[in-house]
Each structure stands twice: as structure tokens, then as C-alpha cells.
Amino acid sequence: EPEVTQTPSHQVTQMGQEVILRCVPISNHLYFYWYRQILGQKVEFLVSFYNNEISEKSEIFDDQFSVERPDGSNFTLKIRSTKLEDSAMYFCASRSGQLTDTQYFGPGTRLTVL
Amino acid sequence: GESVGLHLPTLSVQEGDNSIINCAYSNSASDYFIWYKQESGKGPQFIIDIRSNMDKRQGQRVTVLLNKTVKHLSLQIAATQPGDSAVYFCAEISGGGADGLTFGKGTHLIIQP
């Protein structure tokens, strides 16, 4: 069964450093998402992406964040200058857009900012 | 602001019993609801969804009920198994072109042997 994959599973970085989190959505999907989950809290929406542009973003997704689909398979989230409060699980999700709204999630990347 | 929330943070049931997890939502414009299961260290796993034009939908051992009058959503799991132990989130899409899911805080379901 096709699934969303994410790399790395765990990323440790120093405050102020740039990080890039990578995702490979399900191959025939057209809509892509990033969410984050701070430890012990609920999952929060960051951004949605369709047709090579951002379609919706939350208040959390400020100028420090950016997304890109550099090729036909990868979808990345970049944080330019990480802060301590960026420490969280980051989940990528995708959906086909074909008569369904179901978003399928990847296993997540745990980001730890020191 | 409008949000999706859950009534109980933890629910403990005996293996083999049925469980009901509840969710209240406040956005009357929401038109799509989903239940996700999250096991420790993993991403949310889709369980079942329902649109606002329905009041009940059944899957394998799971049933979702939607009461739009009181803005209430529930997930029923029949004949619970140890593998059902997880945190369960309800989530919504508010419609009007919005695409991001709004998640509730989660209920931790514990299946006792």
C-alpha cells in the first residue's frame, strides 16, 4: 500500500540554524501539507500546497518557513533560522484530490532545537 | 476562536468491550470530519470520515456518528483489541475553500486485558 515517507526521522540542530525536512508524498497525489505537533499537544496545520504554490497557511507559518516541491516526488519544509519553540514533530500529508478529502500522513520528523 | 475539542483526555476499557470517543466542534460551517488514530511515535492514521450531509457512517468495527444539531461527533469502536490502544483525534475541515485540518486535543484510549 502506498504511503507518505519522511526523512530524517530525527533532526537535531542548533538554534539559528537552517533545517530542511523532506517528504515524499503518495505518488499520484496532488495536494500536500505540513503539520506540526508539539510534544503532548494536538496536531496543528502549517501549510497546504497545490499546483506548485501555497494554497493556505496558518498563523504559525511565518516568514521563517518555506515549502518547495523541487522535483516530481519530493516536498520540503525549510525553517530558515530555528528557534527553541520550533522543536516538535513535523508531519507531511498528502491527498489525491480525486473525489476525496482524506489526507494521509507520514511518520513524522522529530525536530529538536538546542 | 472556533475549534474542535474532545470531552475526555483518557478512556480506559476492557478488551472486548465497545468504546465511544466523543468530540465537540463549534464551527457550524464545518462540512467534513475525520477520525485519526495516533500510536506512540507515529503519524496520524486515517480511520473513518463523514461529511456533514450524513449522520452515520460505518467501517470495519468502527462507526462515526454526527449530530449537527448539537455539533457533536463520536467514534464507536466495537469489540476493542489491544491494538486499539492509541490517541484518537477528531479533525475537521471548515469548508469555504479551507483545506487544512483543524485537530482536537486527542483522547487516549487504553485497552485493559
Side-chain angles (χ1 to χ4, degrees):
Chain A
E1 182 177 323
E3 57 185 19
V4 177
T5 60
Q6 292 184 241
T7 55
S9 57
H10 191 186
Q11 175 86 48
V12 181
T13 189
Q14 295 290 326
M15 189 171 55
Q17 295 296 304
E18 174 184 287
V19 294
I20 298 176
L21 309 182
R22 302 179 190 281
C23 169
V24 179
I26 295 173
S27 63
N28 62 343
H29 284 193
L30 303 175
Y31 296 80
F32 314 113
Y33 308 84
W34 283 102
Y35 293 81
R36 80 171 186 190
Q37 184 178 31
I38 295 171
L39 185 63
Q41 298 187 23
K42 63 183 179 180
V43 178
E44 300 173 290
F45 168 71
L46 294 178
V47 66
S48 59
F49 190 86
Y50 170 71
N51 198 26
N52 279 322
E53 61 183 24
I54 291 173
S55 49
E56 185 186 3
K57 60 183 180 179
S58 71
E59 293 178 351
I60 303 168
F61 194 87
D62 61 22
D63 292 344
Q64 292 299 312
F65 292 89
S66 62
V67 290
E68 190 178 26
R69 187 155 165 84
D71 52 44
S73 60
N74 291 282
F75 179 52
T76 62
L77 174 69
K78 180 192 290 185
I79 309 175
R80 289 189 183 83
S81 179
T82 50
K83 303 186 284 288
L84 294 176
E85 54 265 37
D86 292 328
S87 294
M89 283 290 289
Y90 287 81
F91 294 107
C92 174
S94 70
R95 72 176 172 99
S96 66
Q98 304 270 345
L99 301 177
T100 176
D101 289 312
T102 305
Q103 296 181 24
Y104 294 92
F105 284 73
T109 292
R110 178 172 298 283
L111 176 65
T112 301
V113 182
L114 302 177
Chain B
E2 294 178 317
S3 64
V4 177
L6 292 168
H7 291 308
L8 297 173
T10 302
L11 176 64
S12 183
V13 299
Q14 292 293 126
E15 182 180 350
D17 286 353
N18 299 334
S19 67
I20 299 176
I21 301 171
N22 296 302
C23 178
Y25 66 95
S26 57
N27 187 351
S28 57
S30 295
D31 60 5
Y32 179 65
F33 303 88
I34 315 99
W35 281 100
Y36 284 94
K37 172 186 180 183
Q38 187 177 28
E39 296 173 284
S40 181
K42 297 184 178 180
Q45 177 187 355
F46 171 83
I47 301 174
I48 193 168
D49 58 0
I50 190 168
R51 294 202 172 276
S52 58
N53 61 352
M54 304 171 68
D55 54 20
K56 181 179 180 179
R57 191 158 187 231
Q58 288 184 293
Q60 186 178 14
R61 286 201 303 119
V62 294
T63 301
V64 55
L65 299 177
L66 176 62
N67 186 332
K68 293 182 287 294
T69 301
V70 295
K71 297 178 189 171
H72 185 267
L73 191 70
S74 68
L75 176 69
Q76 300 177 358
I77 305 174
T80 52
Q81 303 169 357
D84 294 330
S85 292
V87 177
Y88 290 81
F89 294 94
C90 63
E92 61 165 336
I93 290 180
S94 60
D99 201 22
L101 292 167
T102 300
F103 279 80
K105 292 183 180 179
T107 292
H108 187 193
L109 178 64
I110 299 171
I111 308 301
Q112 296 191 346

